[in-house]
Amino acid sequence: MYLARLDIHSLRNIEQARLELAEGVSLITGDNGSGKTSLLEAVWLLGTGRSFRSNRIAPVIRYGAESATVYGEVVLLDGSRTSLGITRERAGGVQIKVAGEAVRATSALAEVLPLQLINQDSVELVTGPPGGRRRFLDWGMFHVERGFFGVWKSFRRGLEQRNALLRSNSPLAADELDAWEKRLSEDADLLDRYRRSAVEALVPRVASALAELGGSDIIGLRYASGWDRHLGPLGSVLAAQRESDRVQGFTRTGPHRAELRLTVGGRPAAHALSRGQQKILACALLVAQGRWLAEATSKQGLVLVDDLPAELDREHRERLGRALAGLPAQVLVTAVQQDLVMAGLDSAAPLRTFHVEQGRIRAS
């Protein structure tokens, strides 16, 4: 499966564009500020409903326009096509369509178009807070295990209810808390199993990808549940700390506090590795996840790589380029100059190239 066609309307400096994309690698070149990253942002909006550059939608919409629209056609495993579309309005409205039918949840977009992003912020997968690494694991489970998303939503709903009850003064809160803590405990056990299976699947693939990318250290991946499992199931732990949680006004332990710990020789990778090594590890994690997706589901993901030359030195850039060219995924790569990335991507087939200039995109 791959994104075969992309239509963009009124997104940043792109007034209107249509691209026919390659199943393999598409290279997008252009000067800084020309609109290369905006093209990738359009794909990200199509697959997630949001921007990776801004928490607000207003900066994403072209100046003078009231909305931005992205439409795409995806070729499925059987060769048939389906369509995706999203319109984000400056006033806050959102319209989403999948296969011509209106849907409400952005998860419907993500299910059809699995996206990964490698850019200057990817290093935060190693150096940033635990939430980013939880989302990394959950992305994989969302696409690989059909039952995961329902459990995840159930847990989030239960967590919201427990937190609301902790902050209330209702005399019935104790009985309701008992019920919600039971549900949270059941969901937590399932989430824990899903995430541990994700780590088990990723460990050998990360090691392989790291070796290919020139990483020199053995990286440890260990999942921490978010609560002390020696104290029993989460329900028992929540019941025991109910009063202290009430004082704080929120639930302090559970899968929402889980952590994927990356270590080198027992030390956190964020402290043990140089900045360059951290970037390589982040890339290895994402390459490994793309391979896991393909091997576990036969799906192709779509990897967006923004300004590859700026992130790595020549040797590691070429290594990553070769890994991306061989990845069972569609890849969109931006660069200021084509020759800066071709040493690694020259084995990609098919390879399609585009040039962006002042928001206008043309095949080259």
Side-chain angles (χ1 to χ4, degrees), residues 66-236:
E66 293 304 313
S67 64
T69 297
V70 185
Y71 170 86
E73 291 184 0
V74 176
V75 177
L76 302 176
L77 291 172
D78 62 4
S80 64
R81 290 196 176 205
T82 192
S83 62
L84 300 176
I86 182 167
T87 297
R88 293 292 307 267
E89 299 174 355
R90 194 177 296 276
V94 183
Q95 291 86 46
I96 302 172
K97 286 189 176 182
V98 176
E101 299 292 330
V103 299
R104 297 183 64 183
T106 56
S107 58
L109 298 171
E111 188 171 356
V112 179
L113 196 63
L115 294 176
Q116 294 172 287
L117 175 66
I118 297 176
N119 67 355
Q120 63 180 359
D121 297 326
S122 297
V123 71
E124 293 185 9
L125 189 55
V126 177
T127 62
R133 289 181 289 279
R134 283 196 299 273
R135 288 189 293 274
F136 169 77
L137 288 180
D138 291 349
W139 183 95
M141 295 312 302
F142 172 83
H143 290 290
V144 170
E145 291 288 349
R146 284 191 171 274
F148 169 80
F149 190 50
V151 176
W152 182 88
K153 287 194 296 182
S154 177
F155 179 82
R156 297 301 303 185
R157 169 67 173 160
L159 186 63
E160 291 172 3
Q161 291 297 316
R162 184 177 190 268
N163 286 342
L165 287 167
L166 289 172
R167 294 188 291 268
S168 75
N169 294 316
S170 169
L172 302 176
D175 289 340
E176 292 186 62
L177 281 166
D178 287 340
W180 285 110
E181 286 168 1
K182 181 178 184 296
R183 172 170 158 176
L184 283 169
S185 186
E186 294 168 353
D187 289 341
D189 282 341
L190 288 171
L191 285 178
D192 206 57
R193 288 179 214 164
Y194 278 130
R195 286 172 170 170
R196 288 181 187 279
S197 69
V199 174
E200 184 178 346
L202 286 168
V203 165
R205 292 176 172 89
V206 171
S208 176
L210 196 58
E212 291 175 41
L213 298 183
S216 58
D217 295 288
I218 298 175
I219 303 296
L221 279 72
R222 187 170 69 85
Y223 179 71
S225 300
W227 80 96
D228 188 346
R229 295 187 65 86
H230 293 100
L231 298 177
L234 180 62
S236 300

Side-chain angles (χ1 to χ4, degrees), residues 335-346:
V336 174
Q337 294 176 258
Q338 183 169 328
D339 59 359
L340 290 177
V341 295
M342 284 310 296
L345 295 174
D346 52 10

Side-chain angles (χ1 to χ4, degrees), residues 9 19 189 206 234 255 259 327:
H9 301 274
L19 289 79
D189 282 341
V206 171
L234 180 62
E259 163 73 298
L327 195 64

